[in-house]
Amino acid sequence: MKGVHFLVAFVFLALAASFAFASDPSPLQDFCVAINDTKDAVFLNGKFCKDPKLAEAKDFFFSGLDIARNTSNPIGSVITPANVAQIPGLNTLGISMARVDYAPNGGVNPPHTHPRATEILIVLEGTLYAGFVTSNPDNRLITKILNPGDVFVFPVGLIAFQLNVGKTKAVAIAAFSSQNPGVIPIANAVFGSTPPIRSDVLAKAFQVDKNIVDHLQKQFWNNNY
């Protein structure tokens, strides 16, 4: 009987553990280079992959994270991603990167979430005010001033941001625990959705006049990703 109880407990813990891990699943082969043309593909891990024998160095390569981007936009920042869309060899490997350029005097990577990944960010140039907000019921703001060489972690799914508080440009490199972390810019999602969220819903949620919501929904919501 004890053996049965042990088996039931083991199965329960195994199932609980399977739900506890929110990162990309582990691959069942060395790599799975993503491919759109299925003619020369094999089906592994639920995805079409290039035949491993046809894999090339270019499938695992990306050039451009050393290039400064133009931050002349309303929010003063630009993201250069290096995820599975740019590097097909990242498929199933559960990791990706991005470069973030911030304009001087207030360039901001506005409040956003990455629904599928934890982010770790290192500052290369400039000074950033970075932070995230914990979930309900605390909604606690955790922030830090970051200088070159400093590293900060943004837990998966939480609202996060970075602001350039220096007088010169800032640059950071971010790494993610997913090949495709996804991004939800809060302002874009709430006020710039297609079709738009009903203004009376937002007016009630934010406790503001409906005219304010109508005004915000008419703005151009910049997407720096």
Side-chain angles (χ1 to χ4, degrees):
M1 196 66 178
K2 289 183 178 179
V4 173
H5 289 164
F6 175 79
L7 179 60
V8 171
F10 177 79
V11 171
F12 175 79
L13 289 173
L15 289 173
S18 69
F19 287 110
F21 294 100
S23 59
D24 293 350
S26 298
L28 301 179
Q29 66 284 330
D30 288 343
F31 50 80
C32 172
V33 178
I35 189 172
N36 293 323
D37 185 358
T38 60
K39 182 180 65 174
D40 296 313
V42 292
F43 195 72
L44 292 170
N45 271 27
K47 295 288 184 180
F48 277 106
C49 310
K50 178 184 286 188
D51 186 333
K53 295 178 182 178
L54 301 177
E56 306 172 74
K58 67 179 183 180
D59 296 325
F60 305 91
F61 174 78
F62 175 77
S63 179
L65 291 189
D66 61 322
I67 300 173
R69 305 296 176 177
N70 184 1
T71 56
S72 298
N73 58 59
I75 60 176
S77 71
V78 172
I79 312 296
T80 304
N83 56 43
V84 70
Q86 292 77 36
I87 310 173
L90 282 179
N91 189 41
T92 75
L93 298 185
I95 193 169
S96 59
M97 298 179 69
R99 172 186 170 122
V100 192
D101 288 278
Y102 310 83
N105 299 307
V108 63
N109 186 8
H112 63 278
T113 71
H114 294 291
R116 294 184 290 274
T118 290
E119 174 183 357
I120 184 167
L121 179 138
I122 181 170
V123 178
L124 302 183
E125 298 181 39
T127 302
L128 297 178
Y129 168 67
F132 60 87
V133 180
T134 65
S135 57
N136 279 335
D138 294 337
N139 293 319
R140 189 159 66 95
L141 176 63
I142 297 176
T143 64
K144 184 73 174 174
I145 296 294
L146 306 178
N147 295 299
D150 289 345
V151 173
F152 198 71
V153 174
F154 304 91
V156 59
L158 298 186
I159 294 176
F161 63 87
Q162 303 101 42
L163 172 71
N164 184 0
V165 293
K167 296 181 180 180
T168 61
K169 70 175 184 177
V171 180
I173 295 291
F176 303 94
S177 61
S178 171
Q179 67 181 40
N180 181 20
V183 62
I184 304 174
I186 304 304
N188 297 45
V190 173
F191 296 108
S193 66
T194 304
I197 299 173
R198 283 180 47 162
S199 56
D200 54 345
V201 172
L202 297 179
K204 189 76 169 180
F206 287 96
Q207 293 294 286
V208 297
D209 187 89
K210 182 176 175 293
N211 291 330
I212 295 177
V213 173
D214 291 338
H215 171 74
L216 288 171
Q217 289 183 320
K218 292 177 181 177
Q219 305 306 304
F220 169 76
W221 292 102
N222 183 80
N223 186 0
N224 63 339
Y225 286 85

